[in-house]
Amino acid sequence: MAPRFLQLSDVATELNVSDSQVYHLVRSGELPAIKIGGRGQWRVERRTLEEYIQAKYAETAEWVRNNPLVD
């Protein structure tokens, strides 16, 4: 069974981006996360990450529709 919560480094691996890019997504509020523990470690729920990915697919599809490739 996959863990419910992911570390930011795990999210970065899933999205194939840097840890700092994921941190920025979380701090900007674009990717919802929780801060836990005495050292304030960030965690992203796997379900939330999947929802974020699906939203990005929809956002990209709309962008493609509104910006057709012109020969």
Side-chain angles (χ1 to χ4, degrees):
M1 174 184 251
R4 179 176 176 181
F5 290 96
L6 301 169
Q7 296 178 11
L8 296 190
S9 60
D10 297 328
V11 174
T13 299
E14 290 280 328
L15 296 176
N16 197 27
V17 298
S18 70
D19 291 358
S20 62
Q21 286 174 302
V22 173
Y23 181 74
H24 178 74
L25 291 172
V26 167
R27 292 289 286 137
S28 71
E30 185 175 341
L31 178 60
I34 60 172
K35 198 171 180 184
I36 60 168
R39 293 184 10 217
Q41 298 176 349
W42 291 98
R43 296 293 183 269
V44 176
E45 193 168 6
R46 180 170 294 282
R47 178 183 52 81
T48 302
L49 176 58
E50 293 302 325
E51 290 169 357
Y52 174 79
I53 292 168
Q54 291 305 312
K56 286 298 176 183
Y57 271 118
E59 182 181 305
T60 301
E62 183 170 339
W63 184 89
V64 168
R65 278 192 303 275
N66 292 332
N67 297 278
L69 186 60
V70 178
D71 290 338

